[in-house]
Amino acid sequence: MNENKNKQVQSALISESARSSAQAYEKENLKMRRRMEDDFFQKSFDFRDYIFSPQGYEGLVLTLYIMAIPYAMGLLFLFLFVARASYEYFLQFNISSFFIIWAIGYEVCAALILIGILVAWIMHIHERWNREQSQRKSPKKYGI
């Protein structure tokens, strides 16, 4: 009877060592898969995918975008937040200072772009987490 108990203890020890070895292998495998996956900050970015322009005129259109979009955002910011969406207050501003309005709009655009990058990064992490959880298999419990 004592010999039977020794065999049970021995098999329990072997299964514990096998289990710990399998867990170590799983962690190493997870690290290797993470290294092989595309990292969010390693993705390539081509600005031509986001600029609507005729072929060959991307530089000119990009220059126009850089001048017009921040200026429009600056005017919108002044109208909505400074003049509190009142057309009468908005007309009292000196709108002739292009550079000041452009600089305000540039800061608004920069803040929106940074927020967009942060949201995209969080979505990437969430998708990666879901992918890892779906690949992970639940351990089978025998005898319980």
Side-chain angles (χ1 to χ4, degrees):
M1 186 161 271
N2 194 12
E3 189 175 314
N4 193 16
K5 219 170 204 174
N6 283 340
K7 286 183 181 181
Q8 286 178 348
V9 168
Q10 187 74 5
S11 68
L13 290 175
I14 291 172
S15 64
E16 282 296 321
S17 66
R19 188 176 300 123
S20 65
S21 174
Q23 287 174 348
Y25 176 76
E26 181 181 335
K27 287 180 183 177
E28 184 63 33
N29 192 13
L30 182 65
K31 289 178 185 176
M32 187 180 349
R33 276 197 326 249
R34 283 185 178 164
R35 273 188 250 122
M36 290 171 47
E37 287 181 1
D38 287 337
D39 192 25
F40 179 76
F41 297 107
Q42 299 295 328
K43 291 183 179 180
S44 63
F45 177 78
D46 189 11
F47 70 92
R48 288 175 282 180
D49 295 338
Y50 302 97
I51 294 178
F52 304 108
S53 69
Q55 187 72 22
Y57 293 101
E58 290 91 359
L60 177 66
V61 172
L62 184 61
T63 304
L64 291 174
Y65 282 167
I66 289 173
M67 297 304 287
I69 291 175
Y71 184 74
M73 290 298 290
L75 286 175
L76 185 67
F77 179 81
L78 287 174
F79 178 71
L80 292 177
F81 295 103
V82 178
R84 296 188 180 122
S86 173
Y87 191 66
E88 292 81 24
Y89 291 141
F90 183 68
L91 290 177
Q92 293 176 1
F93 291 137
N94 184 10
I95 301 177
S96 63
S97 57
F98 174 81
F99 184 71
I100 300 297
I101 295 171
W102 182 87
I104 292 169
Y106 178 81
E107 293 299 325
V108 170
C109 288
L112 291 176
I113 288 171
L114 287 176
I115 290 170
I117 291 171
L118 180 67
V119 167
W121 180 63
I122 290 172
M123 288 173 44
H124 175 77
I125 289 175
H126 183 68
E127 290 172 7
R128 189 173 178 177
W129 172 259
N130 287 340
R131 203 170 36 241
E132 287 179 6
Q133 293 303 315
S134 67
Q135 290 176 355
R136 186 174 287 172
K137 296 178 182 175
S138 62
K140 295 180 182 178
K141 296 182 180 181
Y142 297 105
I144 296 177

